[in-house]
Amino acid sequence: MKSIAIFCGSALGKDTVYLQVAECVGRCLAQQGITLVYGGGRSGLMGVVADSALQAGGKVIGVIPRVLVDKELAHPNLTALHVVEDMQQRKTKMSELSDGFIAIPGGAGTLEEIFEQWTWAQLGIHLKPCAFLNVDGFYDDLLKFLNTTAEKGFTHPRFMQGLVAENNIEAIVEKFKHFVAPEPKWGMVDKTEFIAALEQ
Ligand code: AMP
């Protein structure tokens, strides 16, 4: 596990517990020698997680679309910053650079990003683990609903079993290290073809 993508809010949230967990995530990855891959900005929890990893001596790679460089305040002190043309390129690049994906608290953007990677795993575009860092029960309702989609026959139980949900970052990293990917729905898909189709 050389690198992990963290998807998180571009806001700080209303409770300091979210800021604390973002600090903890950045520090933990740095201490374990895992490169942090993230959205490249300084806004909200994104900035907190990056600063925390850098302060602890970790490597941090940002991937930001050109149009968000000013809006999300592109971080000036990262190990590397990739400025890409659009959101799809951002997600594709982050996916390529990362060995696993974790959503910590955030809003619609955070959910969009983790769900895309989880569905890519189900389709066999990659076999990397996805997780929700369920701090303070933040993701309880969502996880309950995802279980409903499985109970009603829309998500195969093996994909639910393959989805990691823990309330601390150390437990997630530990599970990632021993992760065995569930069999994709229709076998492996040619990634290059899939990405080319996305960008058309
Ligand atoms: P949010 O959780 O809504 O605060 O968003 C967190 C991050 O997700 C921000 O950096 C957004 O730029 C990013 N984001 C929002 N929508 C998308 C999208 N469709 N694709 C990729 N990133 C997105």
Side-chain angles (χ1 to χ4, degrees):
M1 188 63 39
K2 291 194 189 124
S3 56
I4 290 181
I6 300 295
F7 302 131
C8 60
S10 52
L12 286 172
K14 288 188 178 174
D15 196 313
T16 51
V17 72
Y18 305 125
L19 187 143
Q20 285 159 6
V21 86
E23 279 174 351
C24 194
V25 165
R27 198 168 48 243
C28 169
L29 295 186
Q31 283 168 353
Q32 298 212 29
I34 297 171
T35 298
L36 164 69
V37 177
Y38 88 114
R42 271 181 299 156
S43 57
L45 295 187
M46 292 205 295
V48 175
V49 87
D51 284 339
S52 166
L54 290 168
Q55 268 161 29
K59 286 189 187 152
V60 182
I61 301 179
V63 185
I64 195 163
R66 197 172 300 283
V67 69
L68 292 183
V69 163
D70 293 331
K71 295 191 184 359
E72 288 189 353
L73 313 170
H75 201 299
N77 300 319
L78 302 178
T79 315
L81 178 69
H82 298 278
V83 179
V84 295
E85 291 313 315
D86 54 40
M87 287 295 204
Q88 198 52 56
Q89 281 185 14
R90 173 195 244 182
K91 290 182 290 188
T92 303
K93 187 80 185 165
M94 288 177 76
S95 183
E96 284 169 358
L97 290 170
S98 311
D99 298 322
F101 310 93
I102 303 173
I104 74 170
T110 301
L111 296 177
E112 202 272 347
E113 291 175 303
I114 191 73
F115 276 119
E116 178 154 77
Q117 293 313 318
W118 189 41
T119 53
W120 284 18
Q122 295 180 28
L123 289 172
I125 293 153
H126 64 65
L127 295 173
K128 301 172 184 178
C130 293
F132 287 97
L133 179 45
N134 190 18
V135 55
D136 219 17
F138 184 81
Y139 282 118
D140 279 355
D141 289 345
L142 180 69
L143 293 166
K144 198 167 158 225
F145 177 69
L146 292 179
N147 277 318
T148 301
T149 69
E151 280 159 21
K152 305 273 182 200
F154 291 104
T155 302
H156 196 286
R158 72 176 183 277
F159 296 128
M160 286 308 299
Q161 281 152 20
L163 185 64
V164 177
E166 295 287 344
N167 65 7
N168 68 89
I169 180 68
E170 289 84 1
I172 293 177
V173 172
E174 199 50 35
K175 283 201 170 171
F176 276 15
K177 286 180 182 164
H178 303 106
F179 182 73
V180 179
E183 181 69 20
K185 268 186 212 175
W186 296 294
M188 290 303 286
V189 163
D190 184 301
K191 191 176 137 198
T192 319
E193 260 179 44
F194 179 84
I195 289 168
L198 268 183
E199 287 175 356
Q200 267 169 20

